[in-house]
Amino acid sequence: MAVSISVILLLMILAVVFLRNGGLRTSHALVCILLGFMLASTSIAPMISHGITATTDLVASVRP
């Protein structure tokens, strides 16, 4: 568990640095994909999924 938390934190830090620097290269995208896979295997994954679903439902309900 401690190793996966360390890897997730490292990938998160790298993703933030890459996104702040501008253009997303292939290696940067790979880090973001790995971060997604690592987050999907944690206990926080259902909460992230529910948050995304609630956000899309909110956006879909807005009428221009």
Side-chain angles (χ1 to χ4, degrees):
M1 180 68 174
V3 173
S4 64
I5 291 174
S6 299
V7 171
I8 289 173
L9 286 176
L10 175 67
L11 290 173
M12 239 182 229
I13 291 168
L14 284 173
V16 167
V17 168
F18 290 156
L19 291 173
R20 290 193 75 186
N21 283 341
L24 191 66
R25 297 190 176 126
T26 306
S27 61
H28 303 162
L30 240 164
V31 168
C32 292
I33 290 170
L34 286 174
L35 175 62
F37 279 116
M38 292 297 291
L39 284 176
S41 65
T42 63
S43 60
I44 198 169
M47 191 167 44
I48 293 171
S49 178
H50 291 303
I52 291 172
T53 302
T55 304
T56 56
D57 290 342
L58 178 70
V59 170
S61 69
V62 172
R63 300 287 177 209

